[in-house]
Amino acid sequence: MMTEPTEVEKRLEYGEAGSSRDPAARAPWWKTAVFYQIYPRSFLDTDGDGVGDLEGIRRRLEYLVWLGVDALWISPFYPSPMKDFGYDVRDYCDVDPIFGTLATFDRLLAEAHACGLRVIIDWVPNHTSDEHPWFVESRSSRRSAMRNWYVWRDPAPDGSPPNNWVGQFSRGPAWTFDEATGQYYLHCFLPEQPDLNWNEPAVVGAMHETLRFWLDRGVDGFRMDVVHLIGKDPGLADDPDDIRGVTHVPLNHRPETHPLLREIRRLLERYEGDRLAVGEVFLLDTKQVAEYYGRGDELHLCFNFSPLYTPFDAAAWRDQIERIDQELAPASAWPTWVLSNHDNQRHRTRYGNESRTRAAAFLVALLRGTPFLYAGEELGLSDAVVPEPRRVDPAMRDGCRAPIPWDASATHGWIRDDNWLPWPPDAGVLSMEQQRGDPASMLALYRRLLDARRGSSALRTGDQEILSFGGETDAAVLAFRRHDDGDERIVLVNFSSRDAGVAAKGIVEVSSDGAGEGRAFGGTVRAETAVLLRPERLRQEHASR
């Protein structure tokens, strides 16, 4: 008797067959992949300390394959004092015991690859922990051989910091005075996160070695934290007075960064398997972000955060999409789309209700580019309410980092109820197990969207065209067409609180409220809903095969 293939078997079979029948299969894997960001502290605890770990990720690989994602981005798990929860690295080439061991990571990576999942990890090139041996040595004396590994400067004549740069978290000076050596050191984030000096060749060599360490273990690439910061103005000039008080991080747009990125790209290209560099380029100007793709010789992908801050409004989103298409075009750059992450409110919290959150899923999953989903986004989670005594993050990002609820039990699939942060609202109702069996759930919607994306080369690598239906319709509905080699889809997102008539035709492949799927589109997009249409002729052609 034949048995139904497992989700893993179907994933692997698709990957093998896709190359011969699917135009999108010719694209680099990271162009067609759907990424899933895991903040390991909050994913699943398996040892009872109230903090998620790498073993928790391994135990949920089957779920991630079932969901339909293609690649995992795992936030930092390195040894760290945890002043910034892993972004203050004490050792780039090990695993903090709170998350497991190198053997745990190797097993996770091997099993992910066996499931057909790629794995990229966070790499933090701009700064280390002040407990990193490099900084301890650098701080020991002005004559230290590692003094120039960090950015040290004498005080200004009046004893103040060397320039007016503002730190990201404290909103105070990005400099701390070291009494023992009589100089300031630069930290664009916490004082416990001193900035590395990438003008020092030894730093470049040492950081390249950290990349090789993980590449040799088989990782598929890196998400590179605030990578636009590594090149800095050698003169450390003041930031403009008219933007005084703005932190230096989104202002650091320097030519010195680009040769450093080209060297990193060349390192990655020495490895087989199309290893990926995706940069957190926290510049709120897409034209500037485009420069970090270089001429196809710097970053493969860049996060572009403008859409994350775009309101739930058709005109605002239409403007964002058109600007991104235009401003990335000169660099032939491939876009990324993200609505939630570990640094910002979840978009369910920002948008205020479930219907808007469902409709927004069509944007991140179906626009031209690579989607990045944040763990729990597919469950429709909101930020947790974290009372003052339990807040631990220096930038008060605790709410979006609440633990993921896996079932409706008292501990929601974790070992204990009192974990490092409180649960998000409605944790039992919104848990994975509660939603997995419900075809009307947010989780089921995400799975249908990702399945539709996987089945359409138009949705993965096709061209994109904003559609206009005129007047009141355009004020309410964002419409765009994706097409590639005879494959075509139309996406309609109604941002308004009223139903909207749209003169489009096709079969409803996915709708955000589940209504009408599999039937001809009736010409109305309900308030704050979205639909994915497949032209009728494509349905007929598919049926005739």
Side-chain angles (χ1 to χ4, degrees), residues 227-519:
V227 72
H228 69 291
L229 272 177
I230 62 175
K232 295 183 175 70
D233 175 9
L236 298 176
D238 282 351
D239 286 329
D241 285 336
D242 60 351
I243 50 174
R244 185 177 295 276
V246 175
T247 72
H248 183 71
V249 173
L251 304 176
N252 194 89
H253 178 53
R254 296 293 307 175
E256 292 85 358
T257 302
H258 299 289
L260 298 171
L261 294 180
R262 289 193 288 272
E263 288 186 28
I264 290 169
R265 177 67 172 264
R266 285 193 292 270
L267 187 159
L268 295 180
E269 289 178 346
R270 295 187 191 109
Y271 286 79
E272 295 181 353
D274 218 1
R275 309 297 177 97
L276 171 68
V278 53
E280 182 194 25
V281 180
F282 192 68
L283 301 170
L284 300 181
D285 182 332
T286 306
K287 286 183 180 178
Q288 292 182 350
V289 172
E291 295 180 32
Y292 292 81
Y293 290 84
R295 298 180 178 178
D297 59 353
E298 296 185 30
L299 298 171
H300 297 88
L301 294 173
C302 295
F303 284 120
N304 181 28
F305 293 105
S306 296
L308 190 147
Y309 303 118
T310 300
F312 193 81
D313 175 82
W317 269 93
R318 186 178 295 109
D319 178 65
Q320 274 293 341
I321 294 165
E322 290 175 341
R323 285 175 49 211
I324 288 169
D325 284 346
Q326 293 167 5
E327 293 174 357
L328 293 185
S332 300
W334 188 248
T336 61
W337 298 98
V338 57
L339 291 177
S340 294
N341 61 28
H342 65 295
D343 284 333
N344 293 274
Q345 281 189 324
R346 288 187 177 275
H347 64 276
R348 171 67 185 269
T349 297
R350 297 199 311 273
Y351 293 159
N353 65 42
E354 181 175 347
S355 61
R356 290 183 171 191
T357 310
R358 285 173 172 265
F362 285 64
L363 300 169
V364 72
L366 305 180
L367 282 164
R368 179 179 176 272
T370 297
F372 283 78
L373 310 181
Y374 178 43
E377 180 175 329
E378 78 280 12
L379 303 176
L381 299 182
S382 301
D383 286 8
V385 177
V386 183
E388 182 66 39
R390 294 199 62 182
R391 290 181 184 172
V392 291
D393 181 64
M396 295 187 291
R397 297 163 296 188
D398 309 85
C400 64
R401 299 176 176 185
I404 302 297
W406 294 102
D407 61 34
S409 70
T411 62
H412 300 305
W414 290 49
I415 293 175
R416 46 194 261 194
D417 183 45
D418 57 333
N419 300 300
W420 80 289
L421 285 174
W423 299 105
D426 303 316
V429 174
L430 297 179
S431 67
M432 182 274 289
E433 281 195 359
Q434 289 291 102
Q435 294 198 48
R436 188 162 178 169
D438 180 3
S441 68
M442 182 80 74
L443 177 58
L445 170 64
Y446 267 84
R447 189 168 187 250
R448 293 199 305 277
L449 281 172
L450 299 189
D451 186 60
R453 177 186 171 89
R454 179 172 290 107
S456 167
S457 64
L459 291 175
R460 281 178 291 142
T461 56
D463 293 335
Q464 182 168 281
E465 174 189 2
I466 299 291
L467 302 177
S468 175
F469 295 96
E472 294 183 3
T473 298
D474 285 354
V477 176
L478 169 68
F480 57 94
R481 173 177 173 260
R482 303 292 310 279
H483 53 95
D484 176 55
D485 196 28
D487 188 26
E488 181 180 349
R489 296 294 188 277
I490 292 174
V491 180
L492 307 172
V493 183
N494 185 356
F495 288 82
S496 77
S497 57
R498 297 182 179 181
D499 295 353
V502 183
K505 294 182 179 180
I507 302 301
V508 178
E509 189 168 358
V510 184
S511 63
S512 62
D513 60 2
E517 292 184 351
R519 301 197 298 269

Side-chain angles (χ1 to χ4, degrees), residues 46-357:
T46 63
D47 60 11
D49 63 359
V51 175
D53 44 52
L54 296 178
E55 173 62 15
I57 300 172
R58 189 193 68 80
R59 293 186 189 182
R60 288 292 181 260
L61 291 177
E62 178 276 333
Y63 162 72
L64 297 172
V65 172
W66 173 87
L67 174 61
V69 301
D70 305 289
L72 312 182
W73 153 27
I74 305 177
S75 293
F77 49 78
Y78 309 110
S80 168
M82 301 296 171
K83 299 294 184 181
D84 191 17
F85 296 100
Y87 286 95
D88 50 325
V89 179
R90 187 165 51 210
D91 183 350
Y92 286 98
C93 299
D94 205 348
V95 174
D96 195 289
I98 201 169
F99 298 122
T101 65
L102 276 172
T104 316
F105 177 82
D106 289 341
R107 183 183 182 193
L108 165 60
L109 181 63
E111 292 191 18
H113 283 166
C115 293
L117 295 170
R118 308 264 188 166
V119 177
I120 69 170
I121 64 173
D122 235 308
W123 182 60
V124 188
N126 178 68
H127 47 265
T128 69
S129 165
D130 63 348
E131 295 184 16
H132 195 293
W134 298 345
F135 187 72
V136 173
E137 170 57 31
S138 178
R139 195 175 198 172
S140 67
S141 165
R142 287 199 185 198
R143 295 183 298 277
S144 167
M146 287 187 167
R147 186 66 169 183
N148 200 42
W149 282 45
Y150 294 83
V151 183
W152 292 93
R153 292 293 186 274
D154 289 329
D158 64 356
S160 63
N163 66 20
N164 70 351
W165 291 2
V166 174
Q168 183 70 13
F169 295 153
S170 67
R171 305 286 165 160
W175 298 89
T176 288
F177 187 68
D178 181 63
E179 295 281 353
T181 60
Q183 285 188 314
Y184 283 91
Y185 67 86
L186 176 67
H187 52 85
C188 287
F189 292 90
L190 293 173
E192 295 87 354
Q193 293 171 292
D195 280 32
L196 285 162
N197 176 19
W198 277 77
N199 287 327
E200 168 58 55
V203 168
V204 175
M207 291 303 289
H208 283 193
E209 282 301 312
T210 68
L211 291 171
R212 291 190 188 96
F213 178 86
W214 295 104
L215 290 166
D216 290 342
R217 300 190 94 83
V219 301
D220 298 289
F222 303 89
R223 178 267 189 183
M224 300 182 173
D225 184 64
V226 289
V227 72
H228 69 291
L229 272 177
I230 62 175
K232 295 183 175 70
D233 175 9
L236 298 176
D238 282 351
D239 286 329
D241 285 336
D242 60 351
I243 50 174
R244 185 177 295 276
V246 175
T247 72
H248 183 71
V249 173
L251 304 176
N252 194 89
H253 178 53
R254 296 293 307 175
E256 292 85 358
T257 302
H258 299 289
L260 298 171
L261 294 180
R262 289 193 288 272
E263 288 186 28
I264 290 169
R265 177 67 172 264
R266 285 193 292 270
L267 187 159
L268 295 180
E269 289 178 346
R270 295 187 191 109
Y271 286 79
E272 295 181 353
D274 218 1
R275 309 297 177 97
L276 171 68
V278 53
E280 182 194 25
V281 180
F282 192 68
L283 301 170
L284 300 181
D285 182 332
T286 306
K287 286 183 180 178
Q288 292 182 350
V289 172
E291 295 180 32
Y292 292 81
Y293 290 84
R295 298 180 178 178
D297 59 353
E298 296 185 30
L299 298 171
H300 297 88
L301 294 173
C302 295
F303 284 120
N304 181 28
F305 293 105
S306 296
L308 190 147
Y309 303 118
T310 300
F312 193 81
D313 175 82
W317 269 93
R318 186 178 295 109
D319 178 65
Q320 274 293 341
I321 294 165
E322 290 175 341
R323 285 175 49 211
I324 288 169
D325 284 346
Q326 293 167 5
E327 293 174 357
L328 293 185
S332 300
W334 188 248
T336 61
W337 298 98
V338 57
L339 291 177
S340 294
N341 61 28
H342 65 295
D343 284 333
N344 293 274
Q345 281 189 324
R346 288 187 177 275
H347 64 276
R348 171 67 185 269
T349 297
R350 297 199 311 273
Y351 293 159
N353 65 42
E354 181 175 347
S355 61
R356 290 183 171 191
T357 310

